[in-house]
Amino acid sequence: MAILKIVTYGNESLRQKSKEISKISKKIRILAENMIDTMYKNNGVGLAAPQVGENIRMFVIDVSLDNEPYNPIVFINPKIIKKEGATHEKEGCLSFPNAFVDVRRYSYVKVKALDINGKPFIMEAKDGSLLSRAIQHEYDHLEGILFIDHSRNIFEAIKVLEENNLPTVQKDKMLDEKDIEDLLSNEDNKADNNE
Ligand code: ZN
């Protein structure tokens, strides 16, 4: 058991695309255990390997509540096989201490991955749940994509990063996401009409 050092925004490992894991070796198992311990130690709901400087396709998530038993899930070589709907929420990241920004996400995802024993599993996460958003957030890390790239309001993102002494947004990395934004705008309009 060891607590690993989490790299912060600005470290180039966060912008690299991670490699598939070809064999779940003892080293990978130990890394997964250490990532879980590191996630708990930092009160996170997820942690991806690039955040501890390892550019391999693995992340861990635990969205259980404080009064529930620990329920860590390890995802190895994950693939998002279905995504639908739209949601938005303030999100943070252990690589961005204290910075929270409103980001766009799909509300539903279906993901396929291997567990720590190499056994394939499929998981669905619905209704913009914490699990759904965590899967999308951690999966992005394996692609070198960061939550701020999904910001609904770039000015908010710039301000929050500045306030927390983090490097500024990379405008060329910002995602367009017109499909999600259109769905969100429709919902906003509907809400206005009902008032
Ligand atoms: Zn993150």
Short mmCIF file of all heavy atoms in Angstrom, two decimals, residues 51 92-95 137-138 141 147, ligand 1:
data_model
loop_
_atom_site.label_atom_id
_atom_site.label_comp_id
_atom_site.label_asym_id
_atom_site.label_seq_id
_atom_site.Cartn_x
_atom_site.Cartn_y
_atom_site.Cartn_z
N GLN A 51 -2.87 10.48 -14.03
CA GLN A 51 -2.78 11.43 -12.92
C GLN A 51 -1.69 11.06 -11.92
O GLN A 51 -1.32 11.87 -11.07
CB GLN A 51 -4.12 11.53 -12.17
CG GLN A 51 -5.21 12.16 -13.00
CD GLN A 51 -6.49 12.24 -12.19
OE1 GLN A 51 -7.25 11.29 -12.13
NE2 GLN A 51 -6.71 13.37 -11.54
N GLY A 92 -14.87 18.81 -10.38
CA GLY A 92 -13.50 19.08 -10.00
C GLY A 92 -12.63 17.91 -10.41
O GLY A 92 -13.11 16.96 -11.03
N CYS A 93 -11.35 17.98 -10.07
CA CYS A 93 -10.41 16.94 -10.48
C CYS A 93 -9.24 16.99 -9.51
O CYS A 93 -8.79 18.08 -9.14
CB CYS A 93 -9.93 17.24 -11.90
SG CYS A 93 -8.67 16.10 -12.52
N LEU A 94 -8.75 15.82 -9.07
CA LEU A 94 -7.64 15.81 -8.11
C LEU A 94 -6.38 16.47 -8.69
O LEU A 94 -5.51 16.88 -7.94
CB LEU A 94 -7.35 14.39 -7.64
CG LEU A 94 -8.45 13.73 -6.80
CD1 LEU A 94 -8.06 12.30 -6.41
CD2 LEU A 94 -8.75 14.54 -5.54
N SER A 95 -6.30 16.60 -10.00
CA SER A 95 -5.15 17.27 -10.62
C SER A 95 -5.35 18.78 -10.72
O SER A 95 -4.47 19.49 -11.24
CB SER A 95 -4.88 16.69 -12.02
OG SER A 95 -4.49 15.34 -11.89
N HIS A 137 -15.43 11.43 -17.04
CA HIS A 137 -14.28 12.23 -16.60
C HIS A 137 -12.99 11.40 -16.62
O HIS A 137 -11.97 11.84 -17.17
CB HIS A 137 -14.57 12.76 -15.19
CG HIS A 137 -13.48 13.59 -14.59
ND1 HIS A 137 -13.67 14.90 -14.21
CD2 HIS A 137 -12.18 13.31 -14.30
CE1 HIS A 137 -12.53 15.38 -13.73
NE2 HIS A 137 -11.61 14.42 -13.76
N GLU A 138 -13.07 10.21 -16.04
CA GLU A 138 -11.86 9.37 -15.94
C GLU A 138 -11.46 8.83 -17.30
O GLU A 138 -10.28 8.74 -17.62
CB GLU A 138 -12.06 8.24 -14.92
CG GLU A 138 -12.40 8.69 -13.51
CD GLU A 138 -11.46 9.74 -12.94
OE1 GLU A 138 -10.28 9.77 -13.33
OE2 GLU A 138 -11.92 10.56 -12.12
N HIS A 141 -9.37 11.22 -19.20
CA HIS A 141 -7.96 11.29 -18.80
C HIS A 141 -7.10 10.36 -19.66
O HIS A 141 -5.94 10.68 -19.94
CB HIS A 141 -7.79 10.89 -17.33
CG HIS A 141 -8.00 12.03 -16.37
ND1 HIS A 141 -7.23 13.18 -16.39
CD2 HIS A 141 -8.87 12.19 -15.33
CE1 HIS A 141 -7.63 13.99 -15.41
NE2 HIS A 141 -8.63 13.42 -14.76
N PHE A 147 -11.32 17.93 -17.77
CA PHE A 147 -12.71 18.38 -17.56
C PHE A 147 -12.94 19.81 -18.02
O PHE A 147 -14.00 20.14 -18.53
CB PHE A 147 -13.16 18.15 -16.10
CG PHE A 147 -12.64 19.14 -15.09
CD1 PHE A 147 -13.51 19.97 -14.40
CD2 PHE A 147 -11.30 19.23 -14.80
CE1 PHE A 147 -13.06 20.87 -13.45
CE2 PHE A 147 -10.83 20.13 -13.86
CZ PHE A 147 -11.70 20.96 -13.19
ZN ZN B 1 -9.64 14.23 -13.20
#
